[in-house]
Structures are given as C-alpha cells and as structure tokens.
Amino acid sequence: MTLPKPYYQDSAVTLYHGDCRQIVPLLGRFDLLLTDPPYGMRLDTDYSKTATAGKLPGTKWDRVVGDDKDFDPAFLLTLSIPSVIWGANHFASRLKDRGSWLVWNKRGDGEPSGMHFGDCEMAWTNLSFSGARIFSQMWHGAPRWRKEPCVHPTQKSVDLMVWCLGFAPDAQTVLDPFAGSGTTGRACKDLGRKCVMIEREEKYCEIAARRMGQEVLPLDAA
C-alpha cells in the first residue's frame, strides 16, 4: 500500500482518511503519540436519554465505529515512542505494567456523581513522571457547549489536549491515529506544533478539516 493523498493539509497539520493500521506503518517516526481510540465499551451514544424535566434533550449520535469490540493497543505500543493513550483503563491488562496515569475530572464543583457520563476519564502514559496527574474541567451540559461546539459523541476538549502536550514540551511532531473531530490537531496547531492525524469516518474528517482551517485560536478561547 502507498501512502494516500492527505484529506487535509496545511503547514501544521496533515489529516488522512483511512485505516490507521494500514497508514501508520507508512509514516515516519514521531516525537509523541497522543490519541483517543475507541475503548471497546459499547457506549450507548443516544444522549437524548439524558433529558430531564425542564431541560432540552441531548443528541442521538451514531455509535462510535470500532467501539463494539475490545480494543487492542498492541500496534500502538510497537511504535516505541512517548505516548498518551486515553481510555486505557478499559484495556489496562493489555498495556505495559510500567507507566503513569493522567486523569480528566469532568465534574463541576458540587455536581453529584452518577450522571449518564463518567465522572472522569483516564489515559495511560509512558512519559517520564511518576504517580498520576489530574486535569479538572467541567464537561457536562451548558459549560461544555459554551466552550466548544459538540461535534463528536466522545469529544475531548482542546484544553485537555493542550494540558497533555505540556508534559512533552520538546515533542514537535505528534501522531493521532484516531483523530475523531480533530481535537489533537487543533491543540497542536494552537501551540505551533506539527501533527499527523488519521480518521476512518469521512464525516469526521470533514469536521476536523473545518476545525483545522480556522485561524490559530488563543488558548483561553479554544
């Protein structure tokens, strides 16, 4: 297989539409892997079920492709580069024992536990620090929509990805094989780093391309 023509490309970001397991071996080496793969949790993305009295219902999304079967991170680990892999608590038994954890606390102050969404999400990393690190950002309901438009059922925030990149300040080239709506690329572009992304659903390639086409955003308005 030859490397396909980029779906989108600018001076900072290259986006490919296709299967990352076929495309990644055709690419060069990167300074950092930062990605949010399908976790294999069979997530029910019909968020309209979260509607409560007096509130508008959520969106009924299509299911995440690949989430209907257990995720195997083996091909990511063979890259042997500094890595941050979100959702890794769902496949921790398939990861190396040595590593640290990043935690995204998505609850606001005083918000009760037991919402439709998890209180937090976790990423495994082999970056050189010990223990765990926590990033707190309210990511439910109106605060989320005001910060960033919701364009993907499992969308991460730009602020979160900027935080992740802060643990690898010397990483100038970043790989995201599961691009989704392009949040990793958006964060890299805002920080002046280069990013290669791969996404197999064309509808999300279109969304990611539009996000990359925006001017570089101030970090407090991402």
Side-chain angles (χ1 to χ4, degrees), residues 194-211:
K194 294 186 180 297
C195 183
V196 172
M197 302 187 295
I198 306 167
E199 173 54 42
R200 62 179 173 177
E201 291 198 73
E202 187 169 8
K203 63 182 178 181
Y204 291 123
C205 286
E206 294 175 1
I207 291 170
R210 287 199 298 271
R211 293 181 77 188

Side-chain angles (χ1 to χ4, degrees), residues 73 77 85 88-89 91-98 101 124:
L77 299 178
I85 305 175
N89 51 302
F91 41 87
S93 64
R94 301 181 181 90
L95 294 165
K96 297 178 180 179
D97 290 338
R98 297 188 63 182
W101 291 89
W124 176 88

Side-chain angles (χ1 to χ4, degrees), residues 46-179:
D46 183 0
Y47 297 165
S48 65
K49 299 175 183 178
T50 65
T52 57
K55 296 184 179 180
L56 294 174
T59 300
K60 184 176 182 179
W61 299 91
D62 292 335
R63 296 273 185 151
V64 175
V65 173
D67 190 49
D68 58 341
K69 55 186 176 181
D70 294 345
F71 180 74
D72 185 355
F75 85 102
L76 297 177
L77 299 178
T78 61
L79 298 175
S80 299
I81 60 175
S83 302
V84 176
I85 305 175
W86 281 97
N89 51 302
H90 294 282
F91 41 87
S93 64
R94 301 181 181 90
L95 294 165
K96 297 178 180 179
D97 290 338
R98 297 188 63 182
S100 301
W101 291 89
L102 302 178
V103 180
W104 179 21
N105 170 28
K106 301 189 294 183
R107 291 178 58 190
D109 292 339
E111 182 186 7
S113 185
M115 304 291 285
H116 177 78
F117 304 98
D119 293 344
C120 70
E121 296 189 29
M122 301 175 67
W124 176 88
T125 180
N126 60 3
L127 293 174
S128 56
F129 62 84
S130 59
R133 300 290 186 271
I134 297 176
F135 176 81
S136 295
Q137 182 185 35
M138 174 65 170
W139 201 242
H140 298 314
R144 175 182 183 178
W145 317 142
R146 286 197 297 267
K147 188 68 176 176
E148 298 175 34
C150 184
V151 291
H152 191 283
T154 62
Q155 185 174 332
K156 297 293 182 287
S157 79
V158 174
D159 289 344
L160 176 69
M161 292 309 195
V162 167
W163 178 72
C164 293
L165 291 165
F167 291 104
D170 297 326
Q172 293 303 307
T173 57
V174 179
L175 172 66
D176 184 354
F178 298 93

